[in-house]
């Protein structure tokens, strides 16, 4: 049901974009929509025997526009069985990989670390977006934080229940202050930067709505803020013109959408987009420089067809399942 809930959320977004925003005028969206309509149901393997705490999205056939989710079952250090398929965040994160692979299949075929990190960020933000689309979660968040969204909460932590039993694990928190150059090149670690930017934009737009639309309750303002930023994120990922986009290219695309008065944002919100990227050491005025990575990835080091995206590399131990 967690996978279905995410699929329904994004299906609604795609239909809204088709009917209210693009109306057949954008080539990249038309391609994404065609893939979306042709997608096949995601296959789920909920109890894969393993020595590792992990979960994966993997592609089955390039032409299927779908794939398979694999969730490990393992013995933890307390000598009890745990199942990653029983964790809502992990299921939604991996479902996010499958969805982005439908919308932009070429992203999985690239060597740029930042493109890999977009996949991981999309997975983590899928958890955030989904929870902030539920009134009960919004109410709980506002109560627990007393309205201060700039603090760690059950919303910002990804997959936290499993981290309790992962002695070497480091949980991802979208409420972080990491900047470019302070993470490893691993897509999971690097994704913290982009995820934090998007969460900051939700907060910025939430604050803006509270000031400009005082008739909105805090709950409604936060719902509208996350939904608007969610649409902006999806649009930017679909429209960004590169098959291997960098963070700067994605930020530049967001900026252009807001400036063009795309989907509900006031034009001045473009300044918030620029500032959010700039404070993380990302210059969106110089999008998509060819050599903007911290370190390169050797080409041809992995089969594109067999490539898997694990939930969290820090959850893996040194043992190999092979």
């Amino acid at each position: 049901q967690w996978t279905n809930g995410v699929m329904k959320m994004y299906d609604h977004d795609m239909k809204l974009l088709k009917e209210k925003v693009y109306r057949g005028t954008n080539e990249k969206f038309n391609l994404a929509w065609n893939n979306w309509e042709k997608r096949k149901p995601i296959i789920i393997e909920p109890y894969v025997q393993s020595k590792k705490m992990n979960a994966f999205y993997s592609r089955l056939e390039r032409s299927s526009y779908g794939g398979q989710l694999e969730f490990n079952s393992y013995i933890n250090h307390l000598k009890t069985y745990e199942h990653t398929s029983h964790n809502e965040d992990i299921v939604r994160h991996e479902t996010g990989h499958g969805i982005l692979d439908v919308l932009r299949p070429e992203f999985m075929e690239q060597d740029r670390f930042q493109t890999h990190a977009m996949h991981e960020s999309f997975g983590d933000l899928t958890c955030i977006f989904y929870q902030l689309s539920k009134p009960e979660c919004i109410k709980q968040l506002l109560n627990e934080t007393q309205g201060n969204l700039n603090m760690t909460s059950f919303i910002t932590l990804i997959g936290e229940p499993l981290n309790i039993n992962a002695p070497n694990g480091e949980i991802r928190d979208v409420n972080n202050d990491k900047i470019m150059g302070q993470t490893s090149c691993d897509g999971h670690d690097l994704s913290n930067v982009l995820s934090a930017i998007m969460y900051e934009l939700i907060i910025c737009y939430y604050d803006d709505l509270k000031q400009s639309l005082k008739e909105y309750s805090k709950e409604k303002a936060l719902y509208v803020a996350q939904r608007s930023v969610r649409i902006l994120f999806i649009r930017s990922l679909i429209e960004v013109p590169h098959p291997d986009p960098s963070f700067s290219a994605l930020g530049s695309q967001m900026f252009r959408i807001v400036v063009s008065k795309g989907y509900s944002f006031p034009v001045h919100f473009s300044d918030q987009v620029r500032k959010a990227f700039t404070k993380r050491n990302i210059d969106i005025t110089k999008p998509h420089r060819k050599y903007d990575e911290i370190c390169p990835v050797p080409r041809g080091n992995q089969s594109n067809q067999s490539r898997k995206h694990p939930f969290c590399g820090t959850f893996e131990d040194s043992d190999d399942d092979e």
Side-chain angles (χ1 to χ4, degrees):
Q1 71 182 55
W2 298 328
T3 293
N4 287 338
V6 167
M7 294 297 293
K8 288 179 181 178
M9 178 180 75
Y10 284 123
D11 187 56
H12 187 273
D13 291 346
M14 290 296 289
K15 288 176 179 175
L16 180 148
L17 289 172
K18 182 177 186 292
E19 296 167 5
K20 301 284 183 69
V21 177
Y22 292 109
R23 299 187 180 90
T25 61
N26 185 281
E27 182 178 346
K28 280 196 170 293
F29 177 78
N30 292 340
L31 179 59
W33 176 257
N34 184 54
N35 292 353
W36 188 253
E37 282 201 309
K38 293 196 306 184
R39 74 190 188 280
K40 295 181 180 180
I42 293 177
I43 296 171
I44 299 177
E45 295 288 346
Y47 301 112
V48 178
Q49 294 297 309
S50 175
K51 298 177 183 178
K52 300 178 180 180
M53 180 198 300
N54 223 323
F56 300 88
Y57 164 75
S58 58
R59 201 182 261 179
L60 294 178
E61 295 181 17
R62 174 63 179 80
S63 60
S64 70
Y65 299 105
Q68 178 170 292
L69 307 183
E70 302 173 26
F71 299 96
N72 289 359
S73 295
Y74 63 97
I75 301 289
N76 63 29
H77 73 290
L78 299 177
K79 307 302 180 184
T80 60
Y81 247 108
E82 289 202 58
H83 311 284
T84 54
S85 60
H86 292 184
N87 184 282
E88 295 182 39
D89 281 352
I90 293 179
V91 172
R92 289 174 184 140
H93 173 99
E94 296 305 329
T95 304
H97 279 308
I99 289 168
L100 185 55
D101 195 30
V102 171
L103 301 180
R104 291 298 298 261
E106 67 271 35
F107 283 6
M108 278 186 68
E109 300 164 5
Q110 307 305 320
D111 293 334
R112 188 189 291 268
F113 273 111
Q114 291 175 33
T115 308
H116 294 178
M118 286 178 197
H119 248 284
E120 300 305 330
S121 184
F122 189 84
D124 283 358
L125 289 165
T126 291
C127 303
I128 305 295
F129 292 142
Y130 185 83
Q131 291 188 86
L132 290 182
S133 71
K134 301 300 178 184
E136 62 274 17
C137 288
I138 291 176
K139 185 175 182 179
Q140 181 183 350
L141 174 66
L142 292 174
N143 286 339
E144 289 188 5
T145 63
Q146 297 184 335
N148 178 15
L149 302 185
N150 291 293
M151 62 183 292
T152 292
S153 67
F154 73 96
I155 291 288
T156 69
L157 295 171
I158 306 299
E160 64 273 22
L162 283 185
N163 196 58
I164 295 172
N165 293 327
N168 298 316
E170 179 184 349
I171 199 153
R172 290 197 295 278
D173 184 352
V174 302
N175 179 48
N176 68 73
D177 57 2
K178 293 184 178 180
I179 66 174
M180 297 300 288
Q182 289 184 347
T183 74
S184 70
C185 291
D186 171 74
H188 304 89
D189 194 17
L190 187 55
S191 73
N192 282 300
V193 178
L194 181 58
S195 296
I197 289 171
M198 299 310 301
Y199 185 65
E200 180 178 328
L201 290 177
I202 292 175
I203 296 174
C204 287
Y205 197 41
Y206 167 66
D207 290 339
D208 193 26
L209 289 172
K210 286 192 300 179
Q211 293 297 319
S212 60
L213 296 172
K214 295 188 181 298
E215 68 273 19
Y216 274 18
S217 66
K218 291 181 179 179
E219 290 80 4
K220 183 174 182 179
L222 184 51
Y223 173 83
V224 172
Q226 71 78 24
R227 189 163 185 261
S228 298
V229 172
R230 187 176 86 214
I231 294 292
L232 175 62
F233 192 43
I234 295 169
R235 285 191 63 183
S236 301
L237 287 165
I238 290 174
E239 292 184 26
V240 67
H242 313 286
D244 60 339
S246 62
F247 288 173
S248 58
L250 185 68
S252 179
Q253 191 65 42
M254 287 183 191
F255 184 88
R256 286 194 292 270
I257 289 172
V258 175
V259 168
S260 67
K261 300 181 180 180
Y263 193 74
S264 81
F265 290 102
V267 173
H268 72 259
F269 191 73
S270 61
D271 290 335
Q272 297 289 357
V273 172
R274 177 180 52 77
K275 289 176 182 177
F277 278 86
T278 300
K279 71 182 287 186
R280 306 282 174 165
N281 203 22
I282 301 168
D283 184 356
I284 66 172
T285 66
K286 298 179 179 179
H288 207 70
R289 290 172 292 178
K290 186 174 182 180
Y291 302 106
D292 65 350
E293 296 284 28
I294 301 170
C295 53
V297 182
R299 290 187 176 274
N301 67 324
Q302 207 172 8
S303 166
N304 289 328
Q305 290 297 328
S306 65
R307 181 174 293 169
K308 294 183 178 182
H309 288 258
F311 168 71
C312 187
T314 56
F315 282 166
E316 297 188 33
D317 56 32
S318 59
D319 295 325
D320 198 341
D321 286 343
E322 296 298 326

